Every structure is written in structure tokens, then in C-alpha cells.
Amino acid sequence: MEPQQLRTYVTVVRLGSFSEAARALGYTQSAVSQQIAALETDLGTALLHRRPVGPTEAGARLMEHASALLLRIDAARADIARLAGAPSARLTVGATPLALGAQVGRALAEVRRLYPAVDLTVRVLGQDALPAEVATGAVDLALVDGPAAPSDPLPLPDVGPLVTVAVAEQPLAVALPAGHPLAGRPGQALADLSAARWLDAPGLAPTGARLRAATAVDGYRPAVRYLGTDVRGLLALVAAGHGLALLPAAVLADAPGVAAVPVRSPRLVHRTELVHGALPEGPAALLARLLAGERAGGADGVREGLPGGDQPTMRAPGQQGPSTW
């Protein structure tokens, strides 16, 4: 299989049309047809129904592989480009909504002090999307966050030879209305809240599926789905009694109308990890060192929140620990 043929095939399936795929790719319709025919000959089976256009059973199976194959090809190109390329004057940082904070702000200020001409962009994306964005070079490095057992890595998708470094761990708490009967408790077992109403906010908080996996208890059914990334909007729904949410305790401090009850069991923390590939010396490499707590350019490293002064851990995203998540 040639990557060009595979990209063409994916585009035809996505658009459901040979002519639309040709227009999107800048090819003639005849060239698209020839590429699809060559791919079918190579694999020895029909991949597409022609009228209407859609994948055959074999074609649907190929689609299951295609995204991962093309992603790894793009990741390999980006990885080699990073190793061979000169330092860039641009710095694009990806982050999940709750991974941005004072720690990141101070590190970026130091980067701009030492590289005053840097063209800085911060992109807020979901946890599942960011590793691929790093692997393909769409962002230089990323900060991802989520719940995990203490010292366990986050369960990130395996998209290539990336490195992750733990930069912070914080306590988790259940967010509930200030007048809730459980408000003021010193701790709470998540399993005891399985029948409560929860907010389904995949951009900010664990989903019901993750809560069920962590506690081995059924329940946690969503009362309201919140598809935004503004934590203030989520907390407004909590305060109004629409449902509960599991969030970092620091986010809930002084939130109007919201009480925070620490999670007693299972043992969980809110973990933030830095994800990056090979980084030639420059703004991105400096930012990575600062966030990992090393000294760079005579500046004190920016590092906080890791329990007991432990050194950051490093791993590839496909190497998972025994996390309940």
C-alpha cells in the first residue's frame, strides 16, 4: 500500500464521492479512480461499492487501520524533521483546558524573556487529540491532564515515540451544590455516589465510563451533557443542582455556590503531564526543561505539585502503568 493511495481511499470514503475526493485532493477524477483500482489490485479485493459510493466489508476493515497508519507516517516525518531541522522562531503549545495555570504562565514568561522574538501560540484541545497533534508536529509540545492513581501515567494513545514527563499532581474533589447534604464532609467514597446525578463533561471531567472503571460500580448516569471547555460554565451547572463533577480541588476553591468534598476512595489524583518528541535547542526545548523542573539559561526551573519532591517520570504513551483509568 502506498500512502498516497491510502489517503485517497480515506478521502473517498469520508466524502462518499470520487468527484468530491478529487476536488478536495486536487486530482482529476480519473486519477482518483486509478489509485483506488491500484489499491484494490494490491489487496486482492474490492474496497468500495461504486453506486452509491461506500466501503465494502473489506473496505470498512481497512478504514479501521487507515487512520493509525497515516498518523504514524505523518508522525515519522515530523519526528525526523524535528531532529534534522533548525530551531524555529515559532512555538505552538497544546493544552487541555485544566492543564493551563500559573506554572505554565511563568514558564512561558521565561521563554519569552530569553527568546523575545518568539511567535507564541497556545491551542486548547482534548486529551485524546493532543498526543497525535504532538506526533505530527501540529504542536511542539503539549500539557495533558486527567485523573490517575498516584504516580501512575495517564492513559494516552500510542501514536509514536513520544516522551511524557509528570509535572504536577493535585488532590481531586467532588463538586456539588453548596447546600447539598454531603457538603462539608471531610471525605467521600466515589462508589457511594454511583446513584447520584452527574454532569457528563468529557472536555473537563471524567466520564461515567471512567468513574465506573475506577470504582467497579455501575451507575454515574449523566443528568446533563456539557460539551464546552469553560470550567465556569460547568461549575454554574453544579451550583444550580444539575449534577456532580469530579475536578481538581484547586479549581473548586472559592467557586460561588459550589462545595468541594475530597475523594477518600479510590486513591486518585489529578495528574498533569508534558508530552513532546525530539526537541532541537530553542523555545520548545527550553519550555520543556522549565516545566520538567530543570534549570535553563540560568533561570530557576518552574516545578510544583509533585508529591514528596519526586523526580518527574518519563515513558512512551503506549507504556501504561497499572492505572484504574
Side-chain angles (χ1 to χ4, degrees), residues 99-114:
L100 291 172
Q103 178 184 11
V104 181
R106 292 195 299 271
L108 287 173
E110 180 65 8
V111 171
R112 297 188 70 189
R113 184 182 73 83
L114 295 176

Side-chain angles (χ1 to χ4, degrees), residues 209-286:
R210 287 196 168 186
L211 293 172
R212 289 190 291 274
T215 60
V217 174
D218 197 14
Y220 308 100
R221 304 304 177 191
V224 175
R225 289 181 173 84
Y226 181 76
L227 301 182
T229 57
D230 182 0
V231 71
R232 294 174 301 177
L234 179 64
L235 293 178
L237 293 175
V238 172
H242 292 286
L244 312 183
L246 185 64
L247 292 165
V251 170
L252 305 178
D254 302 320
V258 175
V261 177
V263 174
R264 185 179 72 243
S265 67
R267 293 184 65 228
L268 296 171
V269 294
H270 183 263
R271 182 178 174 92
T272 302
E273 293 183 354
L274 172 68
V275 182
H276 64 83
L279 294 174
E281 189 56 41
L286 172 60

Side-chain angles (χ1 to χ4, degrees), residues 89 143 166 204 220 241 270 280 300:
L143 287 155
L204 292 167
Y220 308 100
H270 183 263
D300 289 337

Side-chain angles (χ1 to χ4, degrees), residues 181-211:
L182 299 180
R185 282 197 175 189
Q188 177 66 46
L190 278 181
D192 293 340
L193 298 175
S194 60
R197 295 184 301 175
W198 286 83
L199 295 172
D200 184 19
L204 292 167
T207 61
R210 287 196 168 186
L211 293 172

Side-chain angles (χ1 to χ4, degrees), residues 43-110:
L43 295 177
T45 187
L47 299 173
L48 288 172
H49 299 294
R50 267 47 177 187
R51 293 183 181 178
V53 175
T56 63
E57 182 179 0
R61 182 63 59 86
L62 179 60
M63 283 294 291
E64 295 177 10
H65 297 281
S67 296
L69 289 170
L70 293 173
L71 173 60
R72 292 304 291 264
I73 290 171
D74 291 340
R77 290 184 182 277
D79 198 28
I80 299 304
R82 283 191 292 262
L83 287 172
S88 173
R90 294 183 177 181
L91 174 59
T92 303
V93 180
T96 47
L98 297 181
L100 291 172
Q103 178 184 11
V104 181
R106 292 195 299 271
L108 287 173
E110 180 65 8

Side-chain angles (χ1 to χ4, degrees), residues 284-296:
L286 172 60
L287 179 60
R289 288 197 299 269
L290 290 170
L291 291 173
E294 299 177 7
R295 292 180 177 270

